[in-house]
Amino acid sequence: RGGGRGTYGARLENFGSKGHDYKRDSGDSPSSTVDESAVDQLLASRLHNRLKRNFDEADKVRDELLNVHGVTVWDKDRTWTTERKSGFEGRDRGGRGGGGRDGGRGRTDRFDSR
């Protein structure tokens, strides 16, 4: 395998100095204090793990962003936020096994079990 367009290294070149292409959600409060440098490093790590298909590590980084920094990542929108707002409740964060109308909570009430 050579250095074709689809290689991991070639894809990384598209992410600039931050190492990722996520943006802070425009509806997020700019007054919320967050270490954006640390968030940028973690988002880059998460993206790089996802590109390498190392999804368990990417999920650990996503969890660290949420639990340590209070940051929720929206992979489909390529955004992140520090607050929960109306309309985010059912939004897919992009992690494995998540998303959909129930937010990945594994609802079982969809089917009648009689």
Side-chain angles (χ1 to χ4, degrees):
R1 297 186 178 208
R5 292 176 56 116
T7 64
Y8 169 70
R11 285 182 273 173
L12 286 180
E13 293 173 3
N14 299 326
F15 299 116
S17 63
K18 289 185 178 183
H20 66 83
D21 59 347
Y22 289 82
K23 299 199 182 317
R24 190 170 190 168
D25 189 275
S26 61
D28 197 25
S29 172
S31 64
S32 61
T33 57
V34 63
D35 182 350
E36 289 195 38
S37 176
V39 169
D40 283 338
Q41 289 176 344
L42 289 166
L43 287 170
S45 174
R46 175 167 163 70
L47 177 62
H48 295 200
N49 277 301
R50 290 182 73 211
L51 289 172
K52 291 187 291 186
R53 303 188 61 76
N54 190 351
F55 298 114
D56 289 335
E57 281 302 312
D59 288 349
K60 287 179 187 176
V61 174
R62 180 201 59 214
D63 294 343
E64 181 179 349
L65 281 160
L66 180 61
N67 297 326
V68 175
H69 299 280
V71 168
T72 302
V73 179
W74 308 105
D75 290 322
K76 288 184 179 180
D77 297 335
R78 297 305 234 209
T79 60
W80 60 272
T81 183
T82 57
E83 345 180 298
R84 280 232 183 252
K85 295 184 176 210
S86 62
F88 283 0
E89 286 79 12
R91 203 164 153 191
D92 178 11
R93 291 191 322 153
R96 291 182 307 148
R101 290 179 170 233
D102 69 350
R105 292 184 290 279
R107 289 179 55 173
T108 58
D109 60 345
R110 291 183 233 189
F111 304 103
D112 189 5
S113 60
R114 288 185 239 177

